Amino acid sequence: VANGGVDMIFTNGADAASWRSVNGYPSDHPLVAATFEASASASPSPSPPPSPSPSSSPSCLCIFDVDRTLTARQGYAPQCPGTQQQDGVPDSAYEGGTLVLSQLALNLGATFCGACHVGVISAGTASGAGSAERGVLFQRLTAPPLPGVAGASEGNVPWKSFPNDGASASPLVVAAPEGRKQEAVPGMLSWYFARGVAIADAEVYFFDDKEENVRGFAGTGYNAREISCASRDGGGSRGGCGATTDEVGAGPFSGVEVCGEAPPPGGLCSFVGSCTEAVLATPAVGPDSSASCGGRIQWVMDNMGKSEADACQQVGEEFPPLCGPCAPEGIPPSLPPSPAGTGGAVVALEVVTYNLYWWNVGQNNRWGALYATIEGQAFDLIGFQECEDVSTVISNVPRMSGRFDSFAPTGIPGPGDNPAPVAWDGQRFDRLGAGWLQVGSDQYGQRVTVWVRLLDRTTGATVFFANTHGPLGDCSTALGDNWMRAVADNIAPDDFLVYTGDFNCGAGSAAINVLDGAAGGPLKLVANGGVDMIFTNGADAASWRSVNGYPSDHPLVAATFEASASASPSPSPPPSPSPSSSPSCLCIFDVDRTLTARQGYAPQCPGTQQQDGVPDSAYEGGTLVLSQLALNLGATFCGACHVGVISAGTASGAGSAERGVLFQRLTAPPLPGVAGASEGNVPWKSFPNDGASASPLVVAAPEGRKQEAVPGMLSWYFARGVAIADAEVYFFDDKEENVRGFAGTGYNAREISCASRDGGGSRGGCGATTDEVGAGPFSGVEVCGEAPPPGGLCSFVGSCTEAVLATPAVGPDSSASCGGRIQWVMDNMGKSEADACQQVGEEFPPLCGPCAPEGIPPSLPPSPAGTGGAVVALEVVTYNLYWWNVGQNNRWGALYATIEGQAFDLIGFQECEDVSTVISNVPRMSGRFDSFAPTGIPGPGDNPAPVAWDGQRFDRLGAGWLQVGSDQYGQRVTVWVRLLDRTTGATVFFANTHGPLGDCSTALGDNWMRAVADNIAPDDFLVYTGDFNCGAGSAAINVLDGAAGGPLKLVANGGVD
């Protein structure tokens, strides 16, 4: 309906009343907008459905197993009172037969769960996708008076196979392994949270007919009960008649209950023999009875919603000498002192910790006062808590703006995100590494410690800066151990440690005692503002201060450090990393029989070298022998590349001499090695290689799946300023299955040790040689015995003739022929020849399709989105902000003015790194618009394509994203939200994308369409915006465009917008 070139807007059939493409300065794209007028069926209804109100929504969640919980054994209806056979509805569980609903399934509303939301976690599949059984169960789970699944309809609540995480999490989970069902709950809570329903862990109630599944919930903070106790099947291992309403009951319960175990009698913690009345009466945190061990346990139960057993354990750990006898699991030993205890040279620093009281400052619009408080302090490092947008803080504090860098982790699991971001003077420090560790949780979600390693360019010293926001109501030894582990697992021996935070625990608590040297811990408490503290690994502060933190409810706490002699400026400080001069390629090596030769084979393998005294545990075991390649890596083209390892073995395990030798070889000059890092701060990581703990040194990777470890490796380098394109990744391994696993990934791979084999030919013998790696890069996947294909472009595809290569594909000149386009993709996108042939074949199927080695995949069938709901009166905009250029030239005012000059209800952004900053600076949006920008997108680049909408008109019903492609800038996605229009009761499915550069294939179009087809509801009015980076008529756009047979209508066309 709007075509601005590559900036376009589609609908699922509706015409735009009008559309426009206006000058988008300071962006290099136009701003494209479309106006829709309501159809008759979308006129305001007399009684629009009320928008969801989290405050009135139930805050509990009942989760049910399916087989023998919501169902009874097939054929058992006559002998199971209150059950009901569902004639004509198959049930495939166990012996199979006709579905029988349990007495509970027919009467859920008669239990306390009638006031709760609901979910399912089943080990079975509920008879599979689209089954009649799933339909019946959904009806029962949402039958009045049950609030069901947040008021959603069956069509937009998918049944999700375990694991239940990421954007595709659901309240209906199947195929969950026995004993691990509890792992599916966090995703369920996230699903509800995204729909305005916040549910505390203590308000989760799980019901299952198997003891192992119920016991799996012990220690999670959730509650669980075994049911179908009186009626068993399968030799007693499972239920027979399923659950009854009596077993669920009229009121909630606490803890984990299994058949045959009565709840413990007596007073608090009476099931712990050592928890006597005298222990319960012992003053733990004060002289009055409410502060006794018993009083504290009761408080934790009443205020934190914890079960009695969990409260007894927590308080026992908080005060081990006093209340420890009441801990049912005993008191866990504290971690041994951390290697952080030694520490590097003290660095001259000003450090601040500050809890911003974000929600209250925002509610009362006290931002100016907050920024002024921060501006009034001098600091080099600052750790924030309750800070939802650190970039906004930096941009509004003059001493930080344009100077400070920051790290705020994304993708923290659970319904709450408490990132505890850190910021540092970017003109003084270079970031060497960063990560986070979950340390605890409370009713607000997961709590973490965030850390960065920094290089001080003025002295060459390294600083390990950690920051945390502790959970409420938990000051246990276990929490302290987690705080310490975040340091111990990541710090290097010579780092100067500064640990800031709102710990939510005071000095003398069990958690703080794990850290505090005054209580035997490895760290020194140098600034104590109550729960706001600063620790070091031994250094004293020259001074510290606690100042009024208004408008926060916390003080701002700061510490000053003076340099020790060894930290004085060095005559020749090490240069900071320069991404522009850094190599942009990556060579990755297997270890066993690639970097090594078979033990004992040095005499018969020319150029290898035995490492006497260094064991090698691989295969037969023995003394390590380095391959000829390992001793001469710098003589190959890899000498100009960064390096990594992906091994199926363990390189003789943590701390081994073999790992040390390998690291030395991988970083020996002239190799740039692993971004200039030292062995101490580059961990060897077991597969999978993802998240904040990703590494360039990966072990225990399954054979045939090593390629899955590469994205994490690229992310690791990217975080250190090194951007590496997929086509510049080169992998070497001695096993064919590992090399072939790289086919179709965009990476390159080569099998080595071809002339020397072992293990019956299945693996290398002497390992790799420099000749096998070569002096120059290569393209594609090469295995021993297969020569690279001869001839011209795509000559390995029989149907790709010279005539096809000469066919004009995108214009009359030869550079736009199929062959010219293939060559362009290879030269400009760094793709292998095979990948380029496939891509161009998919871009222009009728013309260049014969050159696609894998053929042309069929397009998706028309989407159910094709019908669509009523057209809604709307103004919609798509706008690529040209973020980096606007920022480089400081044209923010012009950008905000361009947006302010347009009327709109929905807006899809591309090249927008911080949508909240845009909203706050555009008057028509500030205080009115809501937004969704996904986080945790995998790969070295994050292109979230955020969307925003008028929050005074629309309620968000759901949101998600799908990766649709990738290019040299990282992953590309489609982002979507489902919105309820409160003025009409209509629903809108709003999708937005930023397409990859250089790929306009059918496969890309299929992914664009899949993002809609998998998530839209039949009555939704669809609006799809984006900078598609493909023009009308390309294979990708043709998948969407009704003019080419697709299911959508192009109503605004601004070129690629």
Side-chain angles (χ1 to χ4, degrees), residues 2 42 116 156 225 281 311 314 334 390 414-415 434 520 604 638 657 706 718 742 784 810 878 1019 1035 1039 1047:
C116 297
N156 63 7
R225 177 179 287 166
Q314 176 177 315
S334 180
V390 67
Q604 63 201 72
C638 292
K706 294 187 176 184
F718 190 79
F742 278 69
C784 298
V810 287
T878 182
D1019 291 333
V1039 173

Side-chain angles (χ1 to χ4, degrees), residues 372-413:
T373 295
I374 301 171
E375 176 66 15
Q377 301 298 315
F379 51 87
D380 305 281
L381 313 178
I382 185 165
F384 292 113
Q385 307 86 37
E386 293 190 37
C387 175
E388 295 181 13
D389 187 349
V390 67
S391 60
T392 294
V393 174
I394 290 173
S395 63
N396 283 281
V397 175
R399 72 165 55 250
M400 301 179 76
S401 182
R403 182 180 184 106
F404 270 63
D405 296 327
S406 64
F407 175 60
T410 57
I412 296 172

Side-chain angles (χ1 to χ4, degrees), residues 591-605 608-610 616 618-627 734 753 756-760 763-768:
V591 171
D592 302 319
R593 311 302 166 80
T594 297
L595 294 178
T596 73
R598 177 171 173 168
Q599 305 92 326
Y601 266 37
Q604 63 201 72
C605 293
T608 63
Q609 185 181 86
Q610 182 165 301
D616 175 3
Y619 303 118
E620 301 83 3
T623 299
L624 177 67
V625 177
L626 291 178
S627 69
D734 65 302
S753 194
S756 170
R757 306 301 289 174
D758 186 35
R763 57 180 182 254
C766 292

Side-chain angles (χ1 to χ4, degrees), residues 72-73 76-84 100-101 103 231 240-242:
R73 176 171 173 169
Y76 266 38
Q79 64 201 73
C80 294
T83 63
Q84 187 181 86
V100 177
L101 291 177
Q103 188 265 347
S231 171
C241 291

Side-chain angles (χ1 to χ4, degrees), residues 455-462 567-570 573-574:
L455 172 69
D456 184 351
R457 293 198 293 269
T458 63
T459 67
T462 53
S568 58
S570 68

Side-chain angles (χ1 to χ4, degrees), residues 282 411 503 705 915 985 1001:
T282 302
F503 290 82
R705 294 180 58 192
V915 66
S1001 62

Side-chain angles (χ1 to χ4, degrees), residues 622-770:
T623 299
L624 177 67
V625 177
L626 291 178
S627 69
Q628 188 266 348
L629 172 68
L631 296 164
N632 300 278
L633 277 170
T636 70
F637 78 90
C638 292
C641 298
H642 291 295
V643 294
V645 159
I646 305 176
S647 174
T650 65
S652 295
S656 68
E658 179 183 356
R659 289 189 179 184
V661 169
L662 291 172
F663 192 92
Q664 290 169 1
R665 298 314 313 165
L666 290 167
T667 54
L671 290 170
V674 283
S678 66
E679 184 177 2
N681 63 9
V682 184
W684 292 74
K685 172 71 166 57
S686 291
F687 185 91
N689 189 38
D690 49 24
S693 63
S695 171
L697 306 175
V698 183
V699 293
E703 306 282 15
R705 294 180 58 192
K706 294 187 176 184
Q707 66 280 3
E708 298 174 26
V710 177
M713 199 172 286
L714 295 179
S715 295
W716 189 90
Y717 274 108
F718 190 79
R720 287 151 182 82
V722 181
I724 301 169
D726 289 355
E728 294 297 331
V729 174
Y730 305 91
F731 174 71
F732 302 92
D733 196 289
D734 65 302
K735 292 187 177 179
E736 180 178 340
E737 67 178 311
N738 293 328
V739 172
R740 290 203 186 277
F742 278 69
T745 61
Y747 313 130
N748 309 291
R750 177 179 286 167
E751 188 180 5
I752 49 73
S753 194
C754 295
S756 170
R757 306 301 289 174
D758 186 35
S762 63
R763 57 180 182 254
C766 292
T769 67
T770 50

Side-chain angles (χ1 to χ4, degrees), residues 144-403:
L146 290 170
V149 283
S153 65
E154 184 177 2
N156 63 7
V157 183
W159 293 74
K160 172 71 165 58
S161 291
F162 185 92
N164 189 38
D165 49 24
S168 63
S170 170
L172 306 175
V173 182
V174 292
E178 307 282 16
R180 295 180 57 193
K181 293 188 176 184
Q182 66 278 5
E183 297 174 25
V185 177
M188 199 173 285
L189 296 179
S190 296
W191 188 91
Y192 274 108
F193 190 79
R195 288 150 182 82
V197 181
I199 301 169
D201 289 355
E203 294 297 330
V204 174
Y205 304 92
F206 174 71
F207 302 92
D208 197 290
D209 65 302
K210 292 186 177 179
E211 180 178 341
E212 68 176 310
N213 293 328
V214 172
R215 290 203 186 276
F217 278 70
T220 61
Y222 313 130
N223 310 290
R225 177 179 287 166
E226 188 180 4
I227 49 73
S228 194
C229 295
S231 171
R232 306 300 291 175
D233 185 35
S237 63
R238 58 179 181 254
C241 291
T244 66
T245 50
D246 288 343
E247 289 177 305
V248 171
F253 60 95
S254 294
V256 171
E257 301 176 6
V258 298
C259 298
E261 289 186 6
L268 282 173
C269 314
S270 59
F271 46 89
V272 186
S274 56
C275 190
T276 63
E277 289 299 317
V279 173
L280 290 169
T282 302
V285 287
D288 57 83
S289 61
S290 67
S292 66
C293 293
R296 172 66 176 161
I297 291 167
Q298 191 64 56
W299 186 93
V300 169
M301 293 169 63
D302 294 343
N303 292 276
M304 296 181 65
K306 293 209 171 185
S307 68
E308 184 179 357
D310 288 346
C312 297
Q313 182 68 33
Q314 176 177 315
V315 176
E317 292 185 11
E318 286 177 344
F319 305 95
L322 305 171
C323 311
C326 292
E329 299 174 18
I331 304 302
S334 180
L335 286 178
S338 159
T342 55
V346 182
V347 180
L349 283 176
E350 292 265 354
V351 182
V352 160
T353 183
Y354 189 26
N355 180 316
L356 303 189
Y357 204 25
W358 189 274
W359 71 269
N360 187 278
V361 170
Q363 192 175 71
N364 295 285
N365 195 22
R366 292 173 177 152
W367 299 112
L370 183 79
Y371 302 143
T373 295
I374 301 171
E375 176 66 15
Q377 301 298 315
F379 51 87
D380 305 281
L381 313 178
I382 185 165
F384 292 113
Q385 307 86 37
E386 293 190 37
C387 175
E388 295 181 13
D389 187 349
V390 67
S391 60
T392 294
V393 174
I394 290 173
S395 63
N396 283 281
V397 175
R399 72 165 55 250
M400 301 179 76
S401 182
R403 182 180 184 106

